[in-house]
């Protein structure tokens, strides 16, 4: 038998095996890519599950509060003819708890409705996105980087540091709140974007949003308003830029 035929006889199984391995690798990459692009949709569904659970719990608390209010009302003494119905401290507290339970149940119901709206928006965005568009986690990390870069300007630009020293001083509550939010967002930032779970994405997104809010609050407290920062670097009269007094 020819050497080439002998080789084929000995290694005939290698080609199908290699093809199977290659197909599995491709399928794994494709699945991870699809999952990464659907992350916002999956995160919205995760939020819906949490909101539904919160609504169920709120309804249970409402039923309990109604039961307590009825029991407290039954224990109130009967009024005399023409007299005002006496109210005991227990009945007052039961009615207060019932009112709070009603508000919490309504808030939970609205929160669930909002999550379902976010699911529709996320699905529409996923359907309209192309493979060239950045992944949801990449958009979020880019927003995180932009916030950090915005704050770093106060540390690296002498004009900004002189104009707004409060932005670097943790003795101010708003600045300290920003530093804490910055640390929390850094802690929750994922290191492997293809392994981010919906829960991790939701927590990280909330931390980035809190970071942006904290930076805006710190800037507002420091008096960062008026002219653009580019004008501060060119050295205009800083008193006209809203410098803290």
């Amino acid at each position: 038998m020819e050497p080439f035929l002998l080789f084929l006889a000995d290694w005939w199984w290698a080609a199908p095996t290699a093809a199977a391995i290659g197909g599995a690798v491709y399928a794994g990459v494709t699945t991870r890519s699809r999952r990464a692009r659907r992350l916002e949709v999956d995160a919205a569904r995760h939020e819906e599950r949490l909101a539904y659970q919160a609504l169920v719990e709120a309804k249970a608390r409402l039923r309990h509060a109604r039961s307590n209010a009825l029991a407290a009302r039954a224990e109130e003494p009967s009024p005399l003819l023409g007299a005002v119905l006496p109210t005991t401290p227990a009945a007052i507290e039961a009615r207060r708890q019932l009112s709070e339970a009603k508000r919490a149940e309504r808030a939970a119901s609205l929160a669930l409705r909002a999550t379902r709206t976010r699911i529709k928006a996320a699905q529409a965005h996923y359907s309209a996105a192309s493979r060239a568009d950045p992944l949801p986690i990449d958009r979020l990390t880019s927003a995180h980087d932009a916030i950090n870069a915005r704050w770093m300007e106060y540390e690296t630009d002498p004009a900004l540091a002189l104009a707004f020293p409060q932005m670097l001083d943790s003795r101010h509550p708003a600045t300290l709140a920003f530093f804490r939010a910055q640390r929390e967002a850094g802690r929750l930032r994922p290191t492997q974007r293809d392994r981010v779970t919906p829960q991790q994405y939701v927590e990280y997104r909330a931390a980035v949003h809190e970071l942006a809010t904290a930076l805006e609050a710190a800037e507002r407290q420091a008096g960062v308003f008026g002219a653009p920062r580019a004008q501060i670097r060119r050295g205009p009269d800083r008193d006209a830029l809203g410098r803290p007094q």
Side-chain angles (χ1 to χ4, degrees):
M1 185 178 293
E2 294 293 333
F4 180 70
L5 296 178
L6 289 173
F7 174 81
L8 288 180
D10 291 337
W11 295 96
W12 63 269
W13 51 269
T17 303
I21 294 175
V25 171
Y26 175 78
V29 172
T30 303
T31 301
R32 285 197 298 271
S33 176
R34 187 182 301 113
R35 187 190 311 124
R37 294 192 178 279
R38 286 184 55 87
L39 186 54
E40 273 186 332
V41 177
D42 294 337
R45 288 175 174 165
H46 173 72
E47 288 180 303
E48 182 192 27
R49 288 192 294 271
L50 295 179
Y52 179 77
Q53 181 179 354
L55 178 59
V56 170
E57 294 173 356
K59 287 182 178 295
R61 288 193 295 269
L62 179 57
R63 289 193 297 269
H64 182 69
R66 280 177 176 157
S67 176
N68 288 343
L70 290 173
R73 183 177 179 182
E75 293 176 359
E76 290 180 335
S78 300
L80 298 175
L81 184 61
V84 179
L85 180 66
T87 303
T88 64
I92 295 175
E93 177 62 17
R95 283 197 288 269
R96 185 190 66 80
Q97 292 182 1
L98 177 59
S99 179
E100 288 184 356
K102 287 180 179 179
R103 286 196 297 269
E105 190 270 344
R106 176 169 175 77
S109 178
L110 293 175
L112 177 60
R113 190 181 304 174
T115 61
R116 289 171 176 170
T117 300
R118 284 197 292 272
I119 288 176
K120 293 180 180 178
Q123 288 175 332
H125 188 272
Y126 171 73
S127 299
S130 67
R131 296 186 62 85
D133 293 337
L135 297 173
I137 191 62
D138 291 338
R139 293 199 303 269
L140 192 54
T141 54
S142 295
H144 186 184
D145 292 339
I147 297 170
N148 285 333
R150 177 172 150 192
W151 174 79
M152 281 296 294
E153 293 179 3
Y154 296 103
E155 192 171 69
T156 59
D157 191 305
L160 284 175
L162 290 173
F164 309 107
Q166 182 174 324
M167 291 300 300
L168 303 174
D169 192 347
S170 61
R171 291 175 297 179
H172 294 273
T175 307
L176 178 60
F178 167 74
F179 288 148
R180 288 173 175 169
Q182 189 179 48
R183 183 170 59 250
E184 181 67 6
R187 184 184 70 83
L188 293 174
R189 182 173 180 134
T191 56
Q192 294 179 309
R193 67 176 190 173
D194 61 338
R195 297 186 181 181
V196 181
T197 66
Q199 180 177 350
Q200 289 173 328
Y201 180 80
V202 168
E203 293 175 352
Y204 177 50
R205 184 180 60 190
V208 172
H209 181 269
E210 179 64 24
L211 180 63
T213 302
L215 179 57
E216 291 178 1
E219 288 180 324
R220 187 165 53 250
Q221 288 292 323
V224 182
F225 54 83
R229 295 178 197 171
Q231 295 185 15
I232 299 176
R233 298 190 186 92
R234 290 196 292 269
D237 180 12
R238 295 193 183 102
D239 288 333
L241 300 176
R243 185 181 61 179
Q245 302 298 320

